[in-house]
């Protein structure tokens, strides 16, 4: 069972006087660098030369440092895309980082899939925010913090946990709570959830449902609103109160229809496919396939993205958002005890 680490478990002074290097100034890099600076740490930002991140960092009053400055950093957060991390960790950063420094990662993909040749004297920790960088920053500014996952990958110095918790505390994450995990669990759960639920299963489900309704004669906009916009409203309740709590806020018709039809869709065949997807993640087949795709220039991914953008549902969605302002009305299932 996981433990939840909070402010009381973290020694916020453990990084006092420390210099923290943030490598990458994208989603997580920019958010984390800003929070760490606001927390009073001496932050250096590292970006690859020639990319757009230099200008983005300067706009936030960070002057990007030359790689040599890594030698002064006690902590280095590697916040570049997962598929680029191996090159960065083994190439640009590895040889230059100060002896005994702590390397922080926000996701364990690169380290779990291909054991990295990271110097033995370095501590390695996973501080994985459970949400995008923009939300991490927003919650930090609100004084609430974003929850996250926490694991020590290597404790070479004996102070990996203290320093990594200090890092998470500086981001405000121990205010919300850190769930302890390990590399395997973090990577498998993250990949499985995104593929099967968050950005795989759910999106495919709404597209198939939209196509079915439209081919059944329902107006495109109404099909879109019903299958896409209302999803957020229901999921907000699920996030607050869980699936069973959500049932208490919808009509009897919606309850009965959902509980009898949902399992027909996610039946034995879908569950069997989920198990296959989990196996592909666990045994490394998914990672190998993705790395091969990257190495070949990501042409399959580019084609899939192009097809998705050209799907007629996208244009309808644009119209619905424009004309109905994104839609925040209560779902017709009868949320808060209403109709349906
Ligand atoms: N997206 C999220 O909010 C989120 C949430 C939880 C965890 N994570 C994890 O956080 C880590 C960072 O993800 P992210 O979404 O923040 O990444 P990202 O926004 O895609 O990262 C972009 C940054 O990485 C740099 N970069 C890209 N390729 C590079 C390369 N080959 N060498 C050096 N620098 C390179 C970019 O520089 P240029 O400007 O030069 O292109 C830019 O500064 C990942 O491990 C991810 O799994 C992300």
């Amino acid at each position: 069972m996981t433990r939840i680490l909070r402010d009381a478990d973290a020694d916020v002074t453990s990084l006092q006087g420390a210099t923290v290097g943030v490598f990458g100034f994208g989603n997580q890099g920019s958010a984390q660098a800003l929070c760490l600076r606001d927390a009073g740490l001496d932050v250096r930002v590292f970006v690859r030369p020639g990319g757009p991140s230099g200008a983005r960092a300067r706009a936030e009053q960070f002057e990007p440092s030359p790689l040599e400055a890594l030698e002064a950093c006690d902590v280095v957060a590697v916040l570049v895309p997962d598929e680029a991390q191996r090159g960065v960790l083994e190439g640009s950063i590895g040889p230059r980082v100060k002896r005994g420094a702590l390397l922080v990662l926000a996701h364990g993909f690169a380290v779990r899939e291909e054991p990295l040749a990271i110097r033995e004297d370095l501590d390695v920790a996973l501080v994985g925010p459970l949400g995008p960088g923009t939300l991490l920053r927003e919650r930090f500014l609100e004084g609430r913090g974003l929850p996250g996952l926490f694991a020590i990958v290597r404790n070479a110095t004996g102070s990996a946990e203290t320093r990594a918790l200090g890092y998470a505390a500086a981001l405000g994450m121990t205010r919300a709570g850190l769930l302890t995990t390990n590399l395997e669990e973090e990577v498998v759960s993250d990949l499985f959830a995104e593929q099967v639920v968050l950005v795989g299963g759910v999106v495919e489900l709404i597209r198939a449902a939209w196509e079915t309704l439209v081919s059944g004669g329902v107006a495109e906009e109404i099909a879109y609103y019903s299958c896409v916009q209302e999803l957020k409203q229901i999921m907000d309740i699920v996030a607050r109160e869980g699936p069973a709590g959500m049932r208490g806020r919808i009509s009897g018709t919606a309850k009965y229809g959902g509980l009898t039809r949902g399992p027909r869709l996610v039946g034995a065949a879908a569950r069997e496919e989920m198990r296959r997807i989990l196996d592909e993640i666990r045994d490394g087949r998914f990672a190998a396939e993705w790395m091969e795709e990257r190495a070949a220039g990501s042409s399959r991914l580019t084609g899939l993205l192009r097809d998705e953008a050209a799907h007629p549902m996208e244009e309808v969605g644009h119209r619905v958002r424009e004309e109905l302002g994104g839609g925040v009305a209560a779902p017709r299932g009868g949320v808060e005890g209403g109709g349906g």
Side-chain angles (χ1 to χ4, degrees), residues 73-74 97-102 119 121-123 156-157 159 163:
C73 294
D74 306 284
V97 178
K98 186 175 178 173
R99 201 173 164 71
L102 167 70
R119 272 181 14 225
D121 59 288
L122 300 175
D123 288 345
T157 65
S159 63
R163 292 194 291 170

Side-chain angles (χ1 to χ4, degrees), residues 16 44 50 52 73 100-101 155 182 187 227 230 233 252 268 292 297 313 328:
Q16 227 164 35
R44 310 274 163 89
C73 294
N155 189 359
N182 57 58
V187 175
C227 297
E230 290 194 29
Q233 298 152 11
E292 207 175 298
M313 193 177 92
V328 287

Side-chain angles (χ1 to χ4, degrees), residues 45-91:
V45 166
F46 298 86
V47 296
R48 62 176 167 180
S53 287
R56 279 205 302 266
R58 282 186 199 96
E60 299 289 355
Q61 284 76 53
F62 284 109
E63 184 54 40
S65 298
L67 281 178
E68 293 69 46
L70 279 167
E71 287 157 19
C73 294
D74 306 284
V75 179
V76 178
V78 182
L79 299 171
V80 298
D82 297 307
E83 58 278 12
Q85 277 176 27
R86 189 181 181 83
V88 167
L89 281 162
E90 292 184 346

Side-chain angles (χ1 to χ4, degrees), residues 6 15 51 60 85 100 119 165 172 241 251 288 294 299 340:
R6 300 195 185 277
L15 291 189
E60 299 289 355
Q85 277 176 27
R119 272 181 14 225
L165 266 176
E241 301 178 26
S251 68
R294 283 274 307 171
S299 58

